[in-house]
Amino acid sequence: MGGGGSGAWLPLLIFAGVMAWRFRSLEKARLLRLPLLWIAPAIVTAAVSVALCGMPPSLLGWAALAAGFAIGGGIGMQRSRLMRLHVEGEGDETRVMMRQSPLALLLLLAVFAARRMILPGGMTVGAGHPAANAQIMTDAMLGFVLGMVLVSRLILWQRARAMVAAHITDS
């Protein structure tokens, strides 16, 4: 085996480091800035748009993008519902605080593990040209990320807004 196999471990190591850091701060509540929840979806939407303009999908690619969006949206919805939110303060001092849920982080780990099992290396899906299959899988992953981020932030915003309106102290 050559040195090419070691590069496959780099994304896993980065992901493991990020997850370890997130598990470390699991019980620490942090401020959920409602006016800023649109920033991550805007950045992801722009990045996905640039990628799609650079290499427009085929009809099958658009279907893969839509399927990826639906699956990612479902996972994003579930992840946001698992987040623990609570309201602190009164009147103008009202703040929504958020804590990561262990289940939400385990959901991300499961998604990452499933992705690694589905796409072990060759990117061949069925009997087609590997480059075309890789492009279709890329379109599906772009849709997945877009759906997960957009729906996740939308659900968080809806939950937090409703909690502030009703002044619910714990969710």
Side-chain angles (χ1 to χ4, degrees), residues 33-47 149-150 153:
R33 295 179 182 95
L34 293 179
L36 302 179
L37 282 177
W38 64 272
I39 294 174
I43 291 170
V44 171
T45 300
V149 171
L150 286 175
R153 295 300 173 116

Side-chain angles (χ1 to χ4, degrees), residues 10-162:
L10 184 61
L12 289 174
L13 290 175
I14 292 170
F15 184 75
V18 168
M19 293 309 288
W21 179 74
R22 300 217 32 202
F23 270 107
R24 181 184 56 86
S25 61
L26 200 59
E27 290 302 316
K28 190 182 295 184
R30 63 182 179 93
L31 180 63
L32 180 63
R33 295 179 182 95
L34 293 179
L36 302 179
L37 282 177
W38 64 272
I39 294 174
I43 291 170
V44 171
T45 300
V48 168
S49 297
V50 167
L52 293 175
C53 286
M55 193 169 285
S58 64
L59 186 58
L60 188 55
W62 283 111
L65 183 94
F69 185 89
I71 293 167
I75 290 172
M77 180 184 301
Q78 189 59 36
R79 181 174 178 263
S80 291
R81 288 182 177 163
L82 292 172
M83 297 291 188
R84 293 185 252 163
L85 303 179
H86 67 274
V87 176
E88 292 181 354
E90 296 284 333
D92 291 340
E93 301 294 318
T94 302
R95 306 179 312 166
V96 178
M97 303 299 286
M98 177 179 76
R99 285 184 315 183
Q100 287 284 338
S101 160
L103 287 175
L105 289 178
L106 289 174
L107 179 64
L108 287 180
L109 284 171
V111 167
F112 189 77
R115 186 189 71 84
R116 294 293 294 177
M117 289 189 308
I118 291 169
L119 303 174
M123 297 285 275
T124 54
V125 187
H129 191 272
N133 289 329
Q135 182 61 41
I136 290 167
M137 291 306 296
T138 299
D139 294 336
M141 288 297 152
L142 287 173
F144 178 85
V145 169
L146 183 63
M148 193 165 90
V149 171
L150 286 175
V151 173
S152 176
R153 295 300 173 116
L154 177 64
I155 297 297
L156 277 177
W157 178 77
Q158 287 175 332
R159 285 184 61 208
R161 195 179 71 164

